[in-house]
Amino acid sequence: MSNLIEQLVFGFCDFLQEEITRDSARGKEVDSLAVALQCLQSHYGFEIDNAQHRQRNELPNSLSLLQVFGLGLAGNERISQAISNIKPEEPVDPELEAQFEEYKKTLIKKGYFGALDPNSAEYKQREQKAKEKLKERLSEQKRAAVIAAAEEKKQRGNEKLAAKQFDEAIRLYGEAIDINPTNPIYFANRAAAYSHQKKHLEAIQDCKKAIELDPNYSKGWSRLGLSLYSLGNFGDSAQAYKKALELEPNNQQVKEALAIAERNVRESAGGPSAANVGSSGLPIPGLENIISNPAFQDFASKIGNNLNQHVSEPGPSGAPPSFESLANNLGDLGGNLNQYLSNPNFLSMAENVMREPAFSNIMSNPSVLQMAQQVLQNPDSLGNLLKTFQGGQGGPGSQGGRADDDDNC
């Protein structure tokens, strides 16, 4: 048994003897304490009344165990502070040591250490400072290599997204994220790929992560708006588009997307715009009779089919396609237009339409002018109208967005 343990137990027995003496004076029962004292002395083989045993086990400076314990508590804070100041030794990196030896040779040639004794304290300080500088330089090189590797994955993902190879794009963006999970662009680009596949919940998750990494990343907000819209959450979609517009006030496509989302919020709430809508979804009385004509429906269907691919193509910033692009698609119908104008059935339909009593009402209805103006100002209105002819419903116009190559966006 070590002397330290025996001293500890001897000090505790002294404490018990003091407690027995004090409690006896107060008339308290001390039998249990006396039994404990006797058992400890018997087990450890000493007697506290034995002068030889006391000389061997007494605490320094005749301190009692209680006093030692008090001193220990008082010094505990200082001890803890001292322990916290002890720096653990860094593990030796053989590669770093080898590189430092080469670096050190260059420093010696340049006179960095001068005539200092290699065993002197100043030499050691300069050596440590040089090693820290080398570690910092190597760390920067490693970080640059990691960023370059992630960017290469992102660029390949962008190429796959442009080629509509969405699974591959998602895989490559995921690899870029694994390499550098702090870049919001990688998450936003993967969200665009998910949107193309109509995986809107996954897109929302990636958009939220992009926004968490950079709350001022406008495309993270606009693509979140698109994904929420696609799930029918028009209110939250509008809020996301508003945030994107705050960050990019001149982004016309985000303005259009916000207008579409807000319009759907109003209509879903049963606002005035929905009060006068007929069964066809058109706000102009009498127009149902005209568009129910089979020849007109065939013509409208051809236009709608021509536009379907266009309105489902992704637009930048998660916004609807531009009017210029839409107009170019409509221009493709030019070759077919002569076919309709030379078609007797179509001409007969046109004559019948003009004889419709509702036709004169329609042409004098201010709503017609308003609708035409909306079509000119907002291509989505035309897309929705044509989809209505085919029994469909209008949408936001975009299914995703082009990949973001600009790291500063």
Side-chain angles (χ1 to χ4, degrees):
M1 181 191 306
S2 70
N3 187 52
L4 184 62
I5 293 176
E6 193 168 322
Q7 280 184 300
L8 175 65
V9 178
F10 195 94
F12 185 67
C13 287
D14 263 347
F15 169 73
L16 288 178
Q17 182 63 60
E18 290 174 4
E19 287 294 293
I20 291 172
T21 302
R22 186 165 37 248
D23 287 352
S24 294
R26 296 172 182 172
K28 291 185 178 180
E29 177 63 44
V30 295
D31 288 349
S32 57
L33 291 177
V35 171
L37 176 59
Q38 185 61 39
C39 289
L40 285 172
Q41 291 180 98
S42 174
H43 180 80
Y44 286 97
F46 59 71
E47 295 178 5
I48 59 175
D49 294 331
N50 186 302
Q52 186 179 357
H53 292 171
R54 178 166 292 281
Q55 184 179 2
R56 186 181 67 212
N57 295 316
E58 194 172 38
L59 295 173
N61 301 317
S62 298
L63 293 173
S64 70
L65 184 63
L66 194 60
Q67 288 172 321
V68 172
F69 184 71
L71 289 172
L73 288 178
N76 184 59
E77 185 176 348
R78 293 192 298 273
I79 294 171
S80 298
Q81 183 64 38
I83 292 174
S84 66
N85 290 335
I86 298 175
K87 295 182 179 179
E89 290 188 12
E90 294 185 8
V92 176
D93 184 346
E95 183 179 354
L96 174 63
E97 292 299 321
Q99 289 177 312
F100 179 67
E101 286 304 316
E102 293 299 319
Y103 181 53
K104 186 176 175 181
K105 290 177 184 178
T106 303
L107 293 177
I108 292 174
K109 289 179 181 179
K110 291 182 176 182
Y112 176 73
F113 295 100
L116 292 172
D117 182 351
N119 295 319
S120 67
E122 187 175 351
Y123 186 97
K124 297 294 184 183
Q125 289 175 355
R126 291 193 182 189
E127 187 178 48
Q128 184 61 32
K129 185 178 179 180
K131 184 177 288 188
E132 291 297 327
K133 185 175 181 180
L134 177 63
K135 286 172 63 177
E136 184 179 344
R137 183 182 301 173
L138 293 175
S139 178
E140 290 175 355
Q141 292 175 354
K142 183 177 180 180
R143 185 163 52 249
V146 167
I147 292 174
E151 284 296 296
E152 188 270 337
K153 295 288 186 182
K154 183 200 77 171
Q155 185 58 40
R156 288 174 56 196
N158 291 354
E159 293 170 0
K160 295 299 183 182
L161 183 63
K164 302 186 186 303
Q165 298 177 22
F166 304 125
D167 285 333
E168 277 298 292
I170 290 169
R171 181 183 66 81
L172 288 164
Y173 290 139
E175 291 178 2
I177 290 169
D178 290 339
I179 296 171
N180 182 12
T182 63
N183 193 321
I185 293 175
Y186 304 158
F187 288 95
N189 283 8
R190 190 169 68 176
Y194 278 136
S195 290
H196 278 282
Q197 293 187 323
K198 303 187 186 302
K199 295 179 179 179
H200 303 302
L201 292 177
E202 290 88 342
I204 289 172
Q205 184 176 356
D206 272 357
C207 288
K208 288 183 175 180
K209 183 61 179 179
I211 294 167
E212 177 186 327
L213 291 169
D214 184 1
N216 295 321
Y217 182 41
S218 62
K219 289 183 181 177
W221 287 104
S222 61
R223 286 174 183 165
L224 176 61
L226 171 65
S227 300
L228 290 166
Y229 185 101
S230 300
L231 293 177
N233 191 344
F234 304 131
D236 289 344
S237 171
Q239 291 303 314
Y241 279 130
K242 282 180 182 178
K243 182 62 179 179
L245 198 59
E246 287 177 10
L247 297 169
E248 283 191 273
N250 297 323
N251 192 319
Q252 186 60 35
Q253 289 163 329
V254 174
K255 288 181 181 179
E256 294 174 0
L258 174 59
I260 294 168
E262 288 180 333
R263 184 184 66 210
N264 278 275
V265 170
R266 292 192 299 271
E267 292 179 355
S268 62
S273 60
N276 299 319
V277 175
S279 61
S280 67
L282 298 171
I284 304 173
L287 195 56
E288 294 182 39
N289 294 333
I290 295 174
I291 66 171
S292 64
N293 186 291
F296 183 84
Q297 289 182 347
D298 180 62
F299 178 65
S301 177
K302 290 293 192 300
I303 297 177
N305 289 336
N306 184 267
L307 289 177
N308 269 343
Q309 181 177 359
H310 175 72
V311 290
S312 65
E313 284 299 310
S317 303
S322 67
F323 180 64
E324 179 182 0
S325 176
L326 187 64
N328 289 337
N329 275 264
L330 283 173
D332 295 339
L333 286 172
N336 296 326
L337 189 58
N338 289 331
Q339 172 186 346
Y340 282 99
L341 293 177
S342 61
N343 186 326
N345 291 332
F346 185 81
L347 293 175
S348 175
M349 178 274 295
E351 292 177 2
N352 290 334
V353 166
M354 294 179 67
R355 284 197 289 266
E356 281 277 354
F359 183 76
S360 59
N361 294 333
I362 291 172
M363 297 308 294
S364 62
N365 192 325
S367 298
V368 173
L369 296 177
Q370 182 182 359
M371 183 181 71
Q373 186 178 16
Q374 289 176 349
V375 167
L376 289 174
Q377 292 177 347
N378 184 2
D380 183 75
S381 299
L382 181 58
N384 289 341
L385 180 62
L386 295 174
K387 286 183 179 181
T388 302
F389 291 157
Q390 302 172 71
Q393 294 179 350
S398 171
Q399 296 298 321
R402 289 199 296 269
D404 191 352
D405 274 318
D406 188 352
D407 289 341
N408 298 319
C409 286

